[in-house]
Amino acid sequence: MKLCDLDQTWGATWSDDDTIVFGWGAKGVWRVSAQGGVPEQVVALDASRNEAARQPQMLPGGKAVLFTVAPGLRWQNAKVVARRLDSQETVTIAEDATDGRYLPSGHVVFAQRGVLQACPSIPVRCA
C-alpha cells in the first residue's frame, strides 16, 4: 500500500495515533496517515548547521518525538534528542549517540561509541 511519495527515508515507525513518523534527512521529521496521504512536517532542522534526522519514534501520548540528529551528516557527532511538538523544546538524551529507541519499560536505548547504552527515562517535560 502506497502511503506517500518521497525520495528517501531515514527510518520510520508506526505511532499510536495511526500515523507513520519518518526521518527525511535534511528535511527533518515528518508524518503521514497510515491510510496514506500528504506528509506533514513535525520537526524542522537548522539549515545553517546542515543537520539531518533519522530513526524517529513518536513518544507515548503523541506530544514529543525521539530521533537522532547529526550536524553535516557526521553521525559520529550525532545526538539522540526528544522534541516536544507543541513548543519545539528539545532535550538531549545522549551526545555522540545514534538510533535511540523508547521501550515500554520507560527506558531509552541507544548506541554510543560502539556500546549499547540505556537511560532510565525520558525527561518529564517531554512526556
Side-chain angles (χ1 to χ4, degrees):
M1 167 184 196
K2 178 180 173 178
L3 298 177
C4 66
D5 292 319
L6 54 104
D7 54 357
Q8 64 179 331
T9 182
W10 296 33
T13 56
W14 202 299
S15 301
D16 292 340
D17 65 354
D18 212 25
T19 61
I20 309 299
V21 62
F22 59 94
W24 206 346
K27 296 177 183 176
V29 177
W30 294 68
R31 68 178 159 201
V32 66
S33 167
Q35 283 69 52
V38 177
E40 167 195 17
Q41 187 176 41
V42 294
V43 173
L45 299 175
D46 185 346
S48 71
R49 294 189 54 184
N50 194 27
E51 293 178 323
R54 75 178 191 189
Q55 302 297 329
Q57 179 185 22
M58 197 64 70
L59 293 172
K63 295 179 183 176
V65 63
L66 180 74
F67 63 99
T68 299
V69 63
L73 297 178
R74 292 185 309 272
W75 296 106
Q76 70 275 14
N77 299 113
K79 56 187 174 182
V80 175
V81 300
R83 183 174 292 182
R84 285 192 61 91
L85 300 181
D86 58 357
S87 67
Q88 296 297 304
E89 177 184 7
T90 303
V91 174
T92 299
I93 307 299
E95 298 274 352
D96 302 323
T98 62
D99 304 314
R101 281 288 167 257
Y102 178 83
L103 304 177
S105 66
H107 290 81
V108 176
V109 295
F110 51 89
Q112 187 177 48
R113 295 181 213 104
V115 177
L116 183 63
Q117 303 274 13
C119 66
S121 66
I122 295 284
V124 169
R125 63 183 185 254
C126 284

